[in-house]
Amino acid sequence: MHTLLDRSLREDVTVEIRLAPDLWRVEVDASQLEVAVLNIAINARDAMPEGGAIIIEGRNEPSGRPDGRGDMVRLSIRDTGVGVEPEVLSRLFEPFFTTKPVGKGTGLGLSQVYGFARSSDGEAGIESVLGEGTTVWMRIPRSTKAMAQETAPVAPRRRSSEERRILMVEDDDSVAQLVQEMLRELGYDVVRAGDALSALEILRQDVAFDLVFSDMVMPGDIGGLDLARDIARLRPDLPVILTTGYSAAAAAAANEGRRVLIKPYRIERLATELDAVFSGANGRARA
């Protein structure tokens, strides 16, 4: 997480993490949590054009009940930025709503935060004061389950010859950062394209790619499924893995025989999918 934040923020933005020493455990998807924190941090960065501070704080919020039911863990991310106007504050979690200039944001970052919190049986909120900063918080139920036995980490692939090269197509900066880290940890050489048109241009100029890994929902007229069709005509030998969290999009791709990796996914599932492609195994959607 520290590495991802360092790569996503500017040098004039400092990060302070304050976690209670007895912070309770929660049961969430770790990858989605990382994306949520990154989305909030990137919004905070953009709200501080002259630099500033981001404070990440985690604390317990007891319900007061003897059995502990209702206990919550609150994670808040506060910035010292310009703040948000009261009249738009209630809309910040809406999909595609953004206060950023055209071309500077998709409006999906904070909606992902809200969706993650709700899917984790929690809640999310935003507080802001103009000229003083903004706080985005999530409250997640405390988990009383015993810690699962840790599995061995996925070992990076060490190749004695050339690395396999992957063209990753992803428009969201925070998601791209996370997926690039996962692919590189698995030993792949990664080049990123921000949209389908850019990806096609890269493929026309550079044929030395072993696979294309593309999101399905992207801005512009060409989505991931259209891109896969274009690649099939341009480079019929080049495998494509599509990824999406939308069941309708996944079904449409699977109906065409496309390989689909369903979001959210962990690095182990990503590694399995890539292994299946490069070993010539058949398969379509992966949960």
Side-chain angles (χ1 to χ4, degrees), residues 59 73 112 190 280:
R59 70 171 188 262
V73 175
Q112 182 273 338
V190 186

Side-chain angles (χ1 to χ4, degrees), residues 82 93 101 103 117 181 184 214 251:
V82 296
F93 284 138
E181 288 289 330
R184 286 170 179 160
S214 176

Side-chain angles (χ1 to χ4, degrees), residues 216 225 242 247-260 262 284-285:
M216 289 193 66
L225 186 54
L242 300 173
S247 57
N255 287 340
E256 291 192 12
R258 310 289 178 182
R259 186 175 287 272
V260 185
I262 306 299
R284 293 182 182 178

Side-chain angles (χ1 to χ4, degrees), residues 169-171 213-218 223-225 227 241-245 263:
V169 190
E170 173 59 62
D171 64 287
F213 184 70
S214 176
D215 192 12
M216 289 193 66
V217 180
M218 293 182 289
L225 186 54
L227 174 62
I241 297 177
L242 300 173
T243 180
T244 183
K263 296 179 180 178

Side-chain angles (χ1 to χ4, degrees), residues 45-62:
R45 175 201 67 190
D46 294 343
M48 299 184 293
E50 305 300 324
I54 295 175
I55 298 92
I56 301 176
E57 183 179 11
R59 70 171 188 262
N60 300 328
E61 292 191 342

